[in-house]
Amino acid sequence: MSKVDFLQGNEACAEGAIVAGCRFFAGYPITPSTEIAERMSSRLPEVGGVYVQMEDEIASLAAVIGASWAGIKAMTATAGPGFSLMQEHIGYAVMTETPCVVVNVQRGGPSTGQPTKASQSDVMQARWGSHGDYEIVALSPSTVQEMYDLMIECFNWSERLRVPAVLLTDEVVGHMRERVVLRDDVETVERELPPEGEEIEKPFPMEPDDLVPPMPVFGRGHRVHVTGLTHDERGYPATDDPEIHRKLVTRLCNKVRKRAREIHEEVGYDFEERESDVALVAYGGCARTVIEAAEELGVTVFRPKVIHPFDPDLIRDLLDGYEVLVVEMNLGQYVEMVERALDRECVHLLGYPGGYPPTPERVIREVKKLSG
Amino acid sequence: MTVVDWKELIRWDRMPHILCPGCGNGTILNVLVRVLAEKFEEGELDPDKTVLVSGIGCSSRLPGYVKLDSLHTTHGRPLAFATGIKLANPDLEVIVITGDGDAAAIGGNHLIHAARRNLDVTVICANNYIYGMTGGQVSPTTPRGAKSTTTPYGNPEPPFDLCELVIGAGAPHVERWTTAHPAQLSAAIARALEREGFSFIDVLCQCPTNYGRRNDMRDPREMVKWLRENTSTRDEEGKIRIGILRDEEREPFLKRMYDMIEEVRTSEEGD
């Protein structure tokens, strides 16, 4: 039965993970994400799951990937500096097509920065932090309810596409308390499995249906070799063949890119269209004050929940013809993607680093400057 | 009883392998697959439930030649990956194959913590005193004074004794052998696979290409001879101690973890 509760964002995130089927958490404490680990350490054993506090963030994501290959849904949670340490394993999970979820409760940076303050400055790190060409899924909640709901979406898209999914949240949403409906009629997606007990000759086919091959699981007789090296269809290292590398990496990117619009439609976004020349764009914790400002000003507002993959066509469909003001808690990250989709001259930024979202008044002032 | 021939455990379609002629990793692979074939045949292990995990380096390529589930991971981190595999599915037998650079430099943190936790895995460390795959740079086990591409005047640093290190961290079962002792190594791997908890086998082995060549042992036979002559199963002055260095009972990590989960679940049900 669905339950109504009054929870902190980080707690709701943990509950969302459990209802999505997560049964393994490996992590390393870091502010402002620790409540997720704490909640998981208490909740997982109750549902027969495993919580383990690893020696660092690198080990945490490694253990998560190992657990995923052993056949269970697994996650970790961290903040900016920890997310930086995890980057090599984000790339490894991409290359080995391992479903896993990483929650990044963003805080101010660079470096140790502002541990207890909010930020949205890992938008580009989520997309480009690891070396090589790749695509992942990153979702950004604005409410405690969405911490719960988008966590489930993260697991589902991760399983569906066999990619790491990032819940790219921030301290504002992670630490606020709100009413949340803990739905139990949740649709969960399980990775497609090959038949048990059969050796799989080609676990990594070049052109599988929908670009995502079924995932072998250790211990089920599949006898697969999994490597982070460029590999052929058999999973064997093939590092010198440019054609194999090109095909593999293109498929890994395309399986996410080609479904960008679908991911946006499925996860959803807010688009409040009003008679105005100006449209405001914001996401995550920052969107809360921006939406208030937009209502007060009577201007259009767009709030994406999907940050990656970016869908330039969607942005064009919705925002062409507006003077667009992107508001984010950084000196300009998401805005660069918007600029690539629209006429650059029409795209403006209110970049607001420092640890808090701008007030509605601050946003209103900026809009007035634009229209005045 | 199914007869398991070790030859069935080799991915012949991957031959020839990438190891240099005379490489000690060849001996380790040879011994490992024969022990595994025996264990599978005797029914002590199930090939479908046995997973090989490795990091990066020459030794870490070995799992790719064995026809079992295997995970070739990132540099230094195989034990962290193994922690996830083993905790997620305790039915799996997890064997970690690593090298001195992989296990003790970049992976040093994971090594001591896996030993401290008493994680239920068998670790086989191919310790050839050198970074072989990257071309012969100094490693944490390179002897003092030895030449490498990054210690052209002789290594100024003291080496790690990996067995002492993991014993200090709490590993209950620790052995050291060399590629000059294949029969003993075979018995050691068999013992390690029988043990619950963390088993560590330090295998001193030859790298004629990148270590021997720079340290007056260009011929692999010279290095194997050196390993035989400079090691002893007794404490002898000037010789490296080999043999079973520790064999104690300690509650394995998995048991503690799953007992705790069971307790929580039972008390929940009682509420």
Side-chain angles (χ1 to χ4, degrees):
Chain A
M1 222 171 64
S2 292
K3 203 171 81 179
V4 178
D5 210 335
F6 184 67
L7 291 180
Q8 195 195 54
N10 282 344
E11 294 168 346
C13 166
E15 292 302 325
I18 285 171
V19 78
C22 175
R23 291 296 177 270
F24 185 90
F25 182 105
Y28 189 81
I30 180 170
T31 305
S33 77
T34 41
E35 294 83 4
I36 300 171
E38 287 166 359
R39 185 96 173 183
M40 290 304 262
S41 72
S42 143
R43 291 282 283 119
L44 273 174
E46 292 175 2
V47 294
V50 171
Y51 167 91
V52 60
Q53 186 166 309
M54 295 299 287
E55 51 272 20
D56 58 33
E57 285 88 347
I58 300 174
S60 301
L61 188 50
V64 163
I65 294 169
S68 188
W69 276 96
I72 63 178
K73 292 186 185 178
M75 70 172 286
T76 185
T78 189
F83 195 54
S84 297
L85 288 175
M86 288 176 184
Q87 288 304 325
E88 187 189 7
H89 286 156
I90 299 264
Y92 183 85
V94 167
M95 193 57 141
T96 55
E97 304 185 65
T98 311
C100 56
V101 174
V102 179
V103 180
N104 177 358
V105 188
Q106 296 165 94
R107 65 190 224 180
S111 190
T112 325
Q114 299 171 290
T116 60
K117 298 285 179 285
S119 174
Q120 295 179 316
S121 48
D122 299 342
V123 169
M124 282 300 152
Q125 189 183 201
R127 172 70 183 80
W128 300 108
S130 196
H131 58 282
D133 293 303
Y134 67 96
E135 295 278 351
I136 51 109
V137 172
L139 309 181
S140 175
S142 291
T143 63
V144 172
Q145 182 68 53
E146 283 182 358
M147 287 291 270
Y148 185 78
D149 296 340
L150 295 192
M151 196 58 192
I152 299 162
E153 291 284 357
C154 273
F155 272 99
N156 286 352
W157 283 104
S158 178
E159 292 285 322
R160 208 174 268 140
L161 299 175
R162 289 183 64 185
V163 291
V166 179
L167 189 75
L168 194 62
T169 181
D170 52 71
E171 193 273 342
V172 171
V173 189
H175 277 166
M176 70 168 49
R177 284 184 180 273
E178 283 182 324
R179 179 181 186 273
V180 52
V181 181
L182 303 172
R183 296 182 293 120
D184 64 351
D185 57 336
V186 168
E187 187 205 336
T188 57
V189 174
E190 310 296 325
R191 68 193 68 168
E192 196 190 329
L193 299 175
E196 190 163 353
E198 275 176 33
E199 281 184 32
I200 301 174
E201 277 180 27
K202 292 181 177 173
F204 299 94
M206 285 291 180
E207 283 159 4
D209 299 343
D210 74 2
L211 304 176
V212 187
M215 184 169 169
V217 172
F218 290 168
R220 289 166 55 101
H222 300 320
R223 308 262 190 118
V224 288
H225 180 57
V226 180
T227 176
L229 289 168
T230 293
H231 44 272
D232 64 15
E233 297 187 297
R234 297 170 300 175
Y236 295 174
T239 56
D240 295 335
D241 188 329
E243 196 52 29
I244 287 177
H245 184 82
R246 204 173 294 133
K247 279 189 173 160
L248 173 63
V249 172
T250 306
R251 175 172 71 76
L252 296 182
C253 287
N254 278 346
K255 71 179 176 179
V256 181
R257 283 181 188 172
K258 292 202 165 173
R259 294 178 78 166
R261 175 61 72 101
E262 185 192 340
I263 299 170
H264 279 267
E265 300 290 348
E266 288 274 323
V267 175
Y269 51 82
D270 283 349
F271 184 64
E272 193 68 43
E273 197 172 8
R274 300 190 180 93
E275 281 283 323
S276 63
D277 298 329
V278 174
L280 294 176
V281 174
Y283 53 91
C286 186
R288 300 172 68 99
T289 59
V290 173
I291 286 169
E292 200 179 315
E295 280 168 3
E296 215 166 307
L297 286 161
V299 301
T300 296
V301 63
F302 171 61
R303 179 176 73 92
K305 295 184 201 172
V306 178
I307 302 298
H308 303 298
F310 187 75
D311 181 11
D313 294 333
L314 176 72
I315 298 289
R316 273 193 288 273
D317 290 350
L318 297 178
L319 297 175
D320 229 0
Y322 285 102
E323 287 290 315
V324 173
L325 178 67
V326 178
V327 186
E328 46 186 344
M329 290 188 277
N330 57 50
L331 282 174
Q333 296 202 12
Y334 188 85
V335 69
E336 293 195 8
M337 299 192 288
V338 177
E339 279 176 345
R340 285 168 75 172
L342 301 173
D343 175 6
R344 287 183 76 99
E345 301 295 306
C346 299
V347 181
H348 311 273
L349 167 72
L350 169 56
Y352 204 78
Y356 299 95
T359 58
E361 293 71 36
R362 178 74 186 79
V363 178
I364 290 167
R365 230 167 42 232
E366 200 66 21
V367 173
K368 285 188 172 155
K369 262 200 280 179
L370 268 186
S371 26
Chain B
M1 193 191 297
T2 2
V3 178
V4 181
D5 188 341
W6 68 267
K7 292 190 190 81
E8 291 168 24
L9 293 178
I10 297 289
R11 293 189 189 270
W12 293 105
D13 54 348
R14 285 210 60 202
M15 294 297 144
H17 54 69
I18 62 162
L19 304 172
C20 303
C23 172
N25 281 305
T27 308
I28 295 170
L29 179 61
N30 191 331
V31 169
L32 175 67
V33 291
R34 284 165 196 269
V35 173
L36 285 175
E38 215 168 287
K39 292 273 177 199
F40 295 153
E41 190 170 332
E42 286 162 5
E44 284 178 38
L45 288 181
D46 177 351
D48 287 340
K49 303 276 180 208
T50 305
V51 181
L52 302 179
V53 185
S54 63
I56 295 294
C58 302
S59 58
S60 291
R61 288 297 190 99
L62 298 189
Y65 299 116
V66 186
K67 212 174 198 181
L68 296 171
D69 286 326
S70 55
L71 195 66
H72 178 225
T73 68
T74 51
H75 190 36
R77 323 291 176 196
L79 276 163
F81 284 86
T83 307
I85 296 171
K86 191 72 195 181
L87 286 176
N89 184 354
D91 293 340
L92 299 177
E93 182 74 30
V94 178
I95 303 166
V96 173
I97 301 177
T98 181
D100 42 303
D102 197 54
I106 186 165
N109 202 23
H110 312 307
L111 180 66
I112 57 175
H113 286 282
R116 172 183 65 83
R117 291 189 178 104
N118 198 15
L119 180 71
D120 306 49
V121 294
T122 291
V123 182
I124 300 171
C125 178
N127 184 353
N128 61 6
Y129 310 121
I130 204 82
Y131 282 82
M133 190 163 266
T134 24
Q137 297 79 20
V138 71
S139 105
T141 61
T142 307
R144 192 157 179 169
K147 298 261 176 67
S148 75
T149 57
T150 49
T151 54
Y153 311 113
N155 181 21
E157 297 182 24
F160 251 141
D161 179 326
L162 298 185
C163 293
E164 292 288 337
L165 180 71
V166 295
I167 288 171
H173 178 229
V174 180
E175 305 199 24
R176 181 188 288 128
W177 297 99
T178 84
T179 43
H181 302 81
Q184 293 90 332
L185 177 58
S186 172
I189 295 175
R191 265 193 300 278
L193 291 171
E194 284 156 22
R195 297 285 191 283
E196 287 180 65
F198 191 81
S199 292
F200 185 83
I201 308 172
D202 189 21
V203 190
L204 307 182
C205 59
Q206 73 277 17
C207 171
T209 306
N210 275 319
Y211 184 79
R213 178 155 60 108
R214 296 185 177 86
N215 292 283
D216 305 321
M217 288 178 286
R218 183 181 290 268
D219 187 324
R221 283 167 300 189
E222 285 174 49
M223 271 209 81
V224 174
K225 190 163 159 257
W226 185 94
L227 287 170
R228 195 179 301 117
E229 288 171 357
N230 287 277
T231 52
S232 171
T233 50
R234 294 185 305 275
D235 285 321
E236 274 186 69
E237 185 68 30
K239 291 199 176 179
I240 303 166
R241 175 82 157 83
I242 54 172
I244 301 173
L245 303 183
R246 189 193 230 186
D247 197 18
E248 288 175 9
E249 288 289 321
R250 237 188 98 202
E251 197 180 28
F253 185 36
L254 271 175
K255 187 173 176 331
R256 287 199 309 277
M257 176 66 83
Y258 276 85
D259 281 355
M260 181 191 77
I261 293 169
E262 191 51 41
E263 249 172 65
V264 172
R265 298 202 84 173
T266 340
S267 70
E268 287 294 306
E269 279 159 23
D271 283 347

